[in-house]
């Protein structure tokens, strides 16, 4: 009877153990996780139902906060654009300093809006279409080449394999764009940032900075964490946005500090 009782208890509690394992496997940024009530014993279902309700309320609060941030950022764009236009009419040194501050604010607003768009994909996923990695890299290179020239730097493109992946082109371009922007920040004047496509389904950004270790990449991929060399206008969202976009695309973000490269690897 003792052995039979132990077997009955172990068998009855097995679904709870499986549910606990699934909960442990959930990432902190995941949304929409719920326990399957049909897999649990009848006695545990009220508790699981209450837990699902709590998770739903937490998701709703997170969604409301992201929507508020996105709306606030959107409302800030127009006055910032007007302010930048007014400053363009002035030629004093104070005006130039203020223009840099406004540009930094505008960049922060753009990052907040992009992060909100990325997170909204988790709640309401967008269909992934075939995307050409060489087209993404070419678009990003063309967009940042004029900015790099003004800074006395270069953005170059090297394509060895025009692979296709399933994804969202605008998000992938935003991810690569953030990597190029960070690379330009650490590359010295007269240096070059190289965007490489291939071999295989991968995009790599190489700079002439000090290189980034795997530990530093993992730390900087958290929101609001900034590197020592980051500009004062940053808010620590750049690599966090890249990491989230990579996660949505079931890809991998990695670094090679010796070659001073950060790359996106797609399955």
């Amino acid at each position: 009877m003792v052995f039979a009782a132990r077997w009955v208890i172990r068998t009855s509690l097995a679904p709870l153990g499986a549910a606990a394992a699934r909960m442990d496997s959930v990432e902190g940024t995941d949304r929409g996780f719920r326990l399957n009530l049909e897999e649990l014993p009848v006695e545990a279902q009220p508790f699981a139902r209450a837990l699902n309700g709590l998770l739903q309320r937490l998701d709703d609060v997170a969604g409301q906060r992201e929507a508020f941030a996105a709306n606030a950022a959107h409302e800030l764009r127009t006055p910032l654009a007007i302010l930048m236009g007014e400053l363009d009419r002035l030629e004093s040194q104070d005006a130039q300093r203020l223009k840099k501050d406004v540009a930094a604010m505008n960049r922060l607003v753009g990052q907040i809006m992009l992060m909100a768009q990325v997170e909204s994909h988790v709640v309401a996923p967008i269909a992934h279409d075939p995307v050409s990695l060489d087209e993404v890299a070419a678009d990003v290179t063309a967009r940042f080449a004029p900015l790099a020239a003004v800074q006395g730097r270069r953005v170059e493109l090297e394509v060895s394999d025009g692979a296709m992946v399933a994804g969202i082109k605008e998000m992938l371009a935003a991810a690569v764009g953030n990597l190029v922007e960070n690379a330009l920040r650490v590359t010295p004047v007269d240096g070059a940032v190289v965007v490489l496509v291939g071999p295989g389904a991968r995009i790599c950004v190489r700079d002439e900075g000090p290189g980034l270790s795997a530990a530093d990449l993992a730390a900087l991929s958290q929101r609001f964490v900034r590197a020592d060399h980051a500009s004062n206008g940053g808010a620590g969202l750049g690599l966090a946005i890249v990491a989230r976009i990579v996660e949505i695309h079931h890809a991998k973000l990695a670094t090679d500090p010796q070659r001073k490269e950060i790359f996106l690897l797609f399955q």
Side-chain angles (χ1 to χ4, degrees):
M1 292 180 63
V2 171
F3 286 112
R6 291 180 60 184
W7 180 84
V8 170
I9 293 173
R10 186 181 298 113
T11 303
S12 301
L13 296 180
L16 295 178
R22 285 197 297 273
M23 293 176 66
D24 287 338
S25 66
V26 176
E27 299 291 339
T29 53
D30 286 345
R31 297 276 188 87
F33 174 81
R34 302 291 184 271
L35 293 173
N36 188 349
L37 300 182
E38 296 180 356
E39 296 179 355
L40 300 176
V42 175
E43 295 78 7
Q45 289 184 8
F47 173 79
R49 190 177 294 108
L51 181 59
N52 284 345
L54 174 61
L55 293 174
Q56 179 64 54
R57 292 192 294 274
L58 291 175
D59 282 352
D60 292 342
V61 170
Q64 292 170 4
R65 292 176 59 184
E66 288 160 4
F68 172 79
N71 291 334
H74 180 74
E75 293 298 327
L76 283 171
R77 277 199 155 180
T78 298
L80 286 175
I82 295 174
L83 180 57
M84 183 66 78
E86 293 295 327
L87 291 174
D88 286 337
R89 299 166 56 184
L90 305 177
E91 298 181 357
S92 65
Q93 292 183 351
D94 289 339
Q96 297 300 319
R97 177 178 56 80
L98 289 173
K99 285 176 65 175
K100 291 182 180 179
D101 292 340
V102 173
M105 293 175 62
N106 199 33
R107 177 174 176 271
L108 174 58
V109 166
Q111 285 190 328
I112 292 174
M113 292 186 66
L114 177 58
M115 178 61 81
Q117 291 171 359
V118 171
E119 292 298 339
S120 67
H121 169 79
V122 180
V123 180
I126 303 172
H128 289 199
D129 299 318
V131 178
S132 172
L133 293 183
D134 57 332
E135 289 184 5
V136 171
D139 291 345
V140 173
T141 302
R143 178 156 53 93
F144 280 92
L147 175 63
V150 171
Q151 298 176 352
R153 300 171 175 88
R154 305 184 309 279
V155 178
E156 302 174 353
L157 175 64
E158 295 182 9
V159 178
S160 61
D161 186 1
M164 301 289 293
V165 300
I168 305 169
K169 185 176 182 180
E170 293 77 13
M171 283 193 184
L172 293 177
V176 178
N178 271 328
L179 293 181
V180 171
E181 189 174 11
N182 290 341
L184 286 172
R185 189 176 298 119
V186 301
T187 296
V189 176
D190 295 329
V193 172
V194 184
V195 182
L196 305 101
V197 182
R202 57 178 274 169
I203 293 182
C204 173
V205 176
R206 178 190 302 155
D207 58 51
E208 297 184 11
L212 195 64
S213 68
D216 288 339
L217 177 62
L220 294 173
S221 296
Q222 304 299 316
R223 299 184 191 185
F224 308 114
V225 177
R226 298 170 66 246
D228 294 337
H229 54 68
S231 65
N232 293 331
L237 285 174
L239 279 177
I241 292 173
V242 175
R244 197 67 172 113
I245 293 174
V246 166
E247 182 181 356
I248 288 173
H249 286 80
H250 305 290
K252 179 181 179 182
L253 180 65
T255 180
D256 186 339
Q258 268 65 38
R259 296 176 60 87
K260 302 178 181 180
E261 295 177 349
I262 297 181
F263 42 90
L264 283 63
L265 297 174
F266 297 88
Q267 297 179 354

